[in-house]
Amino acid sequence: MVAITNLALAALAGYAAAHPGESHSAHHMKRELVARDSAAQIGARSLNSCSSSAASQALKTRSIKRRAEIVKNIRKKRGIQAPARKNKRTLEDLQAWEAVNHNMSATYDYNMFTSMEEVFSANTSCILAPEVTDGPYYVVGEKMRSNVKEALYCDGVDLFLEVQYIDVNTCEPVPAVAVDIWNCNATGTYSGILTSGNYASGGYNSTYLRGIQLTDSDGVASFETIFPGHYSGRAVHTHLLSHTNATVQPNGTISVWNAPVSHIGQLFWPEDLRAEVEETYPYNTNTVELTTNDEDMWSILQADASFDPIPQYVYLGDDISDGLFAWIQIGINSSVDYTEDEYYGVAAYLDAEGGHSTGYTVGGGGGGNGTGPGGNGTAPSGFPSGSLSSALPSSTSA
């Protein structure tokens, strides 16, 4: 097991809040760190033992081809003629886990000699910890859609994100996983909530930059979103949460109430990429104090030699405004259930009448111990079973 350094413990002790309404004890975070390290190392060993199998190699080949085709099609659809940016990152001043070069644009070219293996392969030994908090802003019942951008509050750098779930025990894809994605907009505001520090226009009825998808036969869920902005107390991040055995309703929506939680995680982004994005509009109108990856409370819990919370990515063109394509493989144990984890909680839910708060916040207040209304992922008392998936019309998938 990886030892917990004095530096990490000191950092943990210094954190009281991140999202507004979120608080954590240093003791609990230390316990989560130990559990995370253990789970990650076990998962990494399992993946390594099966990664050379014929099925695993075939999946890798399909994934490389798929990612290359996606980038090709996005560029064609957007009329991008210029080659992708070829700059490489220089991160000597960042910690060791950040120093891995996730920017694959430098190796991506557009001719017959391009090595798709070099560009679009993925490191299946990288695991995203399921013990990481979903934060106080998880909303159940979001629209089943891959394009989570809406007409309002979604200006920013386009991000095409592919997430692939792999079973750590078999190295095989995990199909039919219900994957929720959400992040704040370019100026640091989340939809779907109405709390101090994050007053979303439309409150609980707003849905921008949120959506849910089922993984396909290769364990893949794809989303069109924007690169997230920042807000006080947290580094730039994207939330992911997955359920197995979710139910597809007759109206085409997905119900995850009482479905096992197989993964809770947050993706982080390189500081140089974040800085470049935030020089553009409307990110550059955000005057809130910035928190870096090194200063973030949960990047400490994410980072480990056994897994990597930063997606690989390529620039779609020669300017950041052309957008990004990013991908990550996430190793999960599809037989586990984190529903009872203290850091899993449902903050709100959508139904045919709109959005509703459950009163849940991480770390305190309204079910902060995971036992309040919706705090442990169960439907509020008296609500019809399976009916909390949103009846709102779904947007066209990208």
Side-chain angles (χ1 to χ4, degrees):
M1 181 177 296
V2 176
I4 302 174
T5 66
N6 291 332
L7 176 62
L9 288 178
L12 293 178
Y15 293 117
H19 297 85
E22 178 180 357
S23 60
H24 308 273
S25 72
H27 174 74
H28 182 79
M29 292 178 72
K30 175 182 176 181
R31 189 174 70 221
E32 290 293 300
L33 183 61
V34 172
R36 189 288 318 275
D37 286 345
S38 177
Q41 292 178 13
I42 292 171
R45 288 197 298 270
S46 297
L47 280 172
N48 288 335
S49 68
C50 61
S51 60
S52 60
S53 68
S56 178
Q57 291 302 306
L59 175 65
K60 182 178 180 179
T61 298
R62 293 196 303 273
S63 297
I64 291 169
K65 182 178 180 180
R66 180 186 60 252
R67 292 166 189 145
E69 284 297 313
I70 289 173
V71 169
K72 178 182 177 181
N73 291 335
I74 293 173
R75 283 173 51 84
K76 182 178 180 180
K77 182 178 179 180
R78 296 190 154 205
I80 299 174
Q81 300 288 328
R85 286 270 302 273
K86 294 182 180 294
N87 59 314
K88 287 193 175 183
R89 300 164 57 213
T90 55
L91 302 176
E92 295 87 358
D93 56 337
L94 297 183
Q95 296 178 357
W97 68 276
E98 294 174 284
V100 175
N101 186 7
H102 299 82
N103 181 2
M104 303 305 293
S105 303
T107 57
Y108 187 50
D109 204 350
Y110 300 98
N111 57 53
M112 62 184 294
F113 304 107
T114 298
S115 171
M116 292 297 101
E117 170 77 18
E118 184 178 6
V119 179
F120 291 110
S121 61
N123 184 0
T124 53
S125 67
C126 297
I127 304 170
L128 202 61
E131 288 82 8
V132 172
T133 175
D134 62 4
Y137 299 153
Y138 175 50
V139 177
V140 168
E142 295 295 346
K143 301 174 185 179
M144 184 176 178
R145 57 183 182 176
S146 60
N147 187 348
V148 300
K149 296 188 301 179
E150 297 181 359
L152 298 176
Y153 314 115
C154 295
D155 291 339
V157 172
D158 289 332
L159 173 65
F160 298 84
L161 177 65
E162 177 190 286
V163 185
Q164 186 173 39
Y165 288 86
I166 305 295
D167 192 302
V168 295
N169 297 309
T170 65
C171 289
E172 295 184 0
V174 187
V177 175
V179 183
D180 267 287
I181 187 173
W182 71 101
N183 57 256
C184 67
N185 69 2
T187 54
T189 301
Y190 284 90
S191 67
I193 48 91
L194 189 63
T195 186
S196 177
N198 267 275
Y199 291 103
S201 179
Y204 295 110
N205 294 319
S206 58
T207 59
Y208 59 85
L209 303 179
R210 292 179 180 269
I212 187 170
Q213 282 278 289
L214 288 178
T215 58
D216 63 15
S217 59
D218 275 345
V220 173
S222 299
F223 295 95
E224 181 178 351
T225 181
I226 66 167
F227 194 91
H230 75 267
Y231 53 92
S232 180
R234 290 301 317 277
V236 170
H237 62 282
T238 301
H239 289 273
L240 293 172
L241 192 147
S242 67
H243 290 81
T244 53
N245 299 323
T247 303
V248 179
Q249 300 298 309
N251 65 357
T253 60
I254 301 174
S255 175
V256 297
W257 289 110
N258 303 316
V261 177
S262 57
H263 168 256
I264 305 170
Q266 298 173 17
L267 305 181
F268 291 86
W269 302 93
E271 289 295 341
D272 61 334
L273 179 62
R274 189 271 312 156
E276 182 179 9
V277 168
E278 293 203 330
E279 289 179 355
T280 67
Y281 179 85
Y283 300 92
N284 57 13
T285 66
N286 188 355
T287 59
V288 175
E289 181 182 2
L290 175 70
T291 298
T292 67
N293 284 334
D294 291 344
E295 297 166 340
D296 184 81
M297 63 191 300
W298 288 110
S299 65
I300 292 173
L301 292 179
Q302 288 273 21
D304 179 83
S306 299
F307 59 87
D308 182 349
I310 299 179
Q312 292 176 289
Y313 66 94
V314 294
Y315 289 83
L316 290 172
D318 61 356
D319 189 271
I320 191 66
S321 63
D322 290 325
L324 300 161
F325 174 73
W327 66 98
I328 191 168
Q329 283 185 328
I330 298 174
I332 64 172
N333 185 338
S334 56
S335 64
V336 302
D337 183 6
Y338 292 94
T339 302
E340 297 302 320
D341 191 281
E342 179 176 348
Y343 285 126
Y344 171 68
V346 179
Y349 62 91
L350 280 168
D351 60 16
E353 283 72 49
H356 312 270
S357 172
T358 66
Y360 173 83
T361 56
V362 173
N369 60 0
T371 59
N376 62 356
T378 58
S381 176
F383 208 98
S385 176
S387 61
L388 288 180
S389 286
S390 175
L392 298 173
S394 177
S395 69
T396 302
S397 295

